[in-house]
Amino acid sequence: MAKPGKTPRPKAETPKGFRDYFGADVTERAAMLDAIAGVYRKYGFDPLESSAVETVEALGKFLPDVDRPNEGVFAWEEDGDWLALRYDLTAPLARVYAQHRNDLPTPYRRYAMGPVWRNEKPGPGRFRQFYQCDADTVGTANVAADAEICMMLADALEAVGIERGDYVIRVNNRKVLNGVLEQIGLSEDLLKDPRPMTVSEASKALYSEMVRRNIEQISRADVLRQIDKFDKVGRDGVMQLLTVGRKDESGAFIDGVGLTTEAAEIVVRFLTALSETNTRTVSALREAVGSSEVGREGVDELEGIAKLLDSQGLGEDRVVIDPSVVRGLGYYTGPVFEAELTFEITDEKGRPRQFGSVAGGGRYDDLVKRFTGQAVPATGISIGVDRLLAALRAKGRVGGDSAGPVVVTVMDRDRMADYQAMAGELRAAGIRAEVYLGNPKNFGNQMKYADRRGSPVAVIEGSDEKARGVVQVKDLILGAKIAENADLEEWQSRPSQYEVPRGELVAKIREILAEHGLGE
């Protein structure tokens, strides 16, 4: 009889698209989120921690670039229902508000922070699990709520260490774009039988190919997808994408939407309406929307937001009305916001570039309606936690060598209670401390352990020190510097180890930490 085969050992590896967070990654993120939460609380927002699992039906079809939710989320069937891990923090908010609206104040201000999951193809810097940090106001259509979100976002960025002048919050409005689309004849759904295109002789061949493909209708989604590329391909590139198409950098041809040149120019005029001041930008947008009622309403909202922000000291140096902000306009129903960091960093090829966007949001008045059947206005912002943390590291605000705990070494395993008492005193004084719990026979290994932990100080008390009522306090940071500069006479005379009375242990370690700017 054949012997049963051994069960293979599982591979010790992180699933594709996921990652593990260690030490400083966790503590730095927590500190940043605490600072942001402090700002949100000052504005009267309450925390909400919703379920990580929702029904697929509740999540709806709002996952970016995914037509069906179960194609972009981690979903499973249970008792006839499809459940899924949340892909953002906004869809759960809509469900929570619809479910508990009779018990919640109106408007309801909430902030939420936590992981979300997306079943998408991972890539460099693109993970299937990541953190989001949201703040939303549900239940009011007043543009003061949109202005408040922008104020709060600016304060949050400054609270975590992004200095004024290193960021700008850009504001646009979906209604303005709707007005522009009305100007060119696009209805709310589809424009059938588009008008003949005006093309140059060089473009006629491309136009003929489009005709052969029987392009019969143009949707707003088609237009939105192309103008979303404005920041990458510029004015001329968007003109081509809206009309006859263009070749990308690889040489591949991208079909155009099929608008006339005249219609495309109206769209591009909207995208390039940005002026030196918000007042001039508003004026240019009024011209772009023409007689469109919804377009004029959108421009009025932008003007109102700008005035409210300006009254609170948020001028063009911090908040800019920018029609080129089009990302997510297919989702939002009114004002949209994007926080962009303007300082330069160096990319992996050594080239300077701006850091870019770290937050986005806007007004989404139709999301709760899916549950209630009644319009419920809402507006909010979502901060990309990993992106903002990376920005703080790039600015040197976080990411320095964080000190580990003080390590109390063990010279006599029978005196573990004494060593634990030392660590306890240090902790009571607010100093991180731990007792070495490995094999104490090799003192060198204890020092290697302290080095690996990034410990600033090691405490040593053998039988001789115990008998004399003293302890040895070793400054590991200074010791490392002395080792690096061993050839310099001025360093050779500097002591890195001190013998102090046992009762002065805490005071001496406080002194050493203060010298290195570590505090407690």
Side-chain angles (χ1 to χ4, degrees):
M1 183 176 178
K3 293 182 178 179
K6 292 184 178 180
T7 302
R9 294 189 182 95
K11 291 183 178 180
E13 60 183 15
T14 309
K16 189 175 182 180
F18 294 85
R19 57 176 164 170
D20 301 309
Y21 295 87
F22 295 92
D25 290 330
V26 177
T27 56
E28 289 170 359
R29 180 181 64 203
M32 183 184 78
L33 292 179
D34 282 346
I36 294 172
V39 173
Y40 290 169
R41 286 194 294 270
K42 287 179 181 178
Y43 275 79
F45 284 63
D46 290 329
L48 171 67
E49 188 172 307
S50 61
S51 169
V53 176
E54 298 282 346
T55 65
V56 169
E57 182 182 23
L59 288 176
K61 297 184 178 182
F62 293 93
L63 184 63
D65 303 323
V66 175
D67 293 330
R68 288 176 291 176
N70 58 334
E71 289 186 352
V73 297
F74 290 97
W76 64 93
E77 191 175 13
E78 184 175 302
D79 298 329
D81 292 326
W82 277 91
L83 305 178
L85 290 172
R86 65 190 183 200
Y87 61 74
D88 71 1
L89 298 175
T90 308
L93 170 63
R95 190 267 304 162
V96 167
Y97 185 81
Q99 181 178 349
H100 302 284
R101 62 188 182 279
N102 293 332
D103 301 318
L104 294 173
T106 300
Y108 173 52
R109 291 179 171 92
R110 85 88 171 89
Y111 68 89
M113 303 172 177
V116 298
W117 297 266
R118 295 187 180 179
N119 190 8
E120 299 174 330
K121 184 178 180 180
R126 185 182 180 90
F127 294 92
R128 289 172 166 173
Q129 175 182 323
F130 53 94
Y131 263 71
Q132 284 190 337
C133 172
D134 288 17
D136 299 79
T137 299
V138 183
T140 177
N142 195 323
V143 294
D146 303 289
E148 183 179 68
I149 291 291
C150 293
M151 296 176 202
M152 191 166 65
L153 178 58
D155 287 349
L157 292 175
E158 294 183 16
V160 300
I162 302 298
E163 297 176 348
R164 198 168 298 184
D166 278 341
Y167 72 89
V168 64
I169 298 172
R170 304 188 185 279
V171 185
N172 195 6
N173 197 311
R174 169 66 189 270
K175 293 177 182 177
V176 179
L177 178 59
N178 285 347
V180 171
L181 296 181
E182 283 186 6
Q183 286 294 100
I184 65 175
L186 276 176
S187 67
E188 187 64 31
D189 298 315
L190 299 173
L191 169 66
K192 296 184 178 180
D193 301 321
R195 291 167 286 176
M197 300 173 62
T198 301
V199 293
S200 66
E201 291 295 322
S203 301
K204 286 183 179 178
L206 297 178
Y207 175 55
S208 297
E209 182 176 342
M210 294 179 67
V211 172
R212 288 196 298 272
R213 293 183 183 182
N214 297 316
I215 300 295
E216 295 179 351
Q217 55 191 17
I218 302 171
S219 71
R220 289 185 169 215
D222 291 333
V223 176
L224 287 171
R225 275 192 292 269
Q226 303 313 322
I227 65 176
D228 191 28
K229 302 172 184 176
F230 178 78
D231 59 339
K232 295 180 180 178
V233 302
R235 182 190 187 283
D236 293 340
V238 169
M239 277 292 297
Q240 293 170 339
L241 290 171
L242 291 174
T243 53
V244 297
R246 69 188 295 269
K247 289 183 178 181
D248 63 16
E249 294 180 354
S250 68
F253 184 77
I254 304 173
D255 290 333
V257 170
L259 293 179
T260 67
T261 300
E262 290 83 357
E265 284 178 345
I266 292 175
V267 176
V268 170
R269 194 179 307 136
F270 154 74
L271 291 172
T272 56
L274 178 64
S275 301
E276 302 85 19
T277 66
N278 287 335
T279 300
R280 290 185 179 180
T281 301
V282 166
S283 178
L285 290 176
R286 287 198 186 280
E287 182 179 346
V289 300
S291 61
S292 168
E293 183 177 344
V294 68
R296 291 199 301 268
E297 182 181 334
V299 175
D300 288 343
E301 290 177 356
L302 287 177
E303 185 175 37
I305 291 171
K307 288 181 178 179
L308 286 170
L309 293 174
D310 189 60
S311 71
Q312 298 300 311
L314 280 80
E316 286 89 350
D317 60 326
R318 300 166 72 189
V319 181
V320 175
I321 295 176
D322 186 350
S324 68
V325 178
V326 295
R327 189 173 304 279
L329 280 181
Y331 170 90
Y332 296 108
T333 58
V336 291
F337 329 113
E338 185 173 89
E340 178 184 333
L341 304 188
T342 55
F343 59 84
E344 282 193 348
I345 60 171
T346 302
D347 65 16
E348 62 277 3
K349 295 184 179 180
R351 299 170 299 191
R353 65 175 180 85
Q354 283 194 340
F355 192 90
S357 176
V358 294
R363 180 163 287 278
Y364 51 97
D365 289 346
D366 296 333
L367 197 54
V368 179
K369 186 178 180 181
R370 296 175 51 246
F371 297 93
T372 63
Q374 300 173 338
V376 179
T379 186
I381 193 75
S382 180
I383 295 175
V385 173
D386 291 332
R387 285 277 297 167
L388 182 54
L389 193 56
L392 294 176
R393 287 171 178 155
K395 291 291 288 183
R397 298 291 184 268
V398 298
D401 294 333
S402 58
V406 171
V407 170
V408 179
T409 62
V410 176
M411 307 302 291
D412 184 349
R413 68 171 69 220
D414 293 332
R415 292 181 41 243
M416 184 61 73
D418 290 340
Y419 302 128
Q420 291 287 3
M422 293 182 199
E425 289 176 23
L426 292 169
R427 293 172 192 144
I431 300 171
R432 292 184 69 200
E434 65 173 69
V435 177
Y436 180 74
L437 298 179
N439 188 339
K441 288 186 176 180
N442 189 325
F443 182 74
N445 287 342
Q446 297 194 51
M447 289 295 97
K448 288 179 181 177
Y449 173 81
D451 181 62
R452 177 168 287 187
R453 293 288 281 132
S455 302
V457 176
V459 179
I460 306 165
E461 185 192 65
S463 56
D464 177 63
E465 285 86 5
K466 174 67 174 176
R468 294 189 292 117
V470 299
V471 292
Q472 301 290 334
V473 178
K474 189 173 181 62
D475 183 339
L476 299 178
I477 296 176
L478 180 58
K481 291 180 179 179
I482 291 174
E484 292 175 2
N485 299 275
D487 295 336
L488 299 179
E489 186 174 336
E490 61 179 295
W491 285 90
Q492 292 176 358
S493 59
R494 298 186 64 175
S496 63
Q497 184 166 319
Y498 310 88
E499 183 177 279
V500 298
R502 170 66 178 82
E504 298 178 11
L505 172 65
V506 172
K508 185 60 182 179
I509 290 180
R510 273 184 169 155
E511 178 186 320
I512 293 173
L513 294 177
E515 287 178 357
H516 296 299
L518 297 178
E520 296 176 1

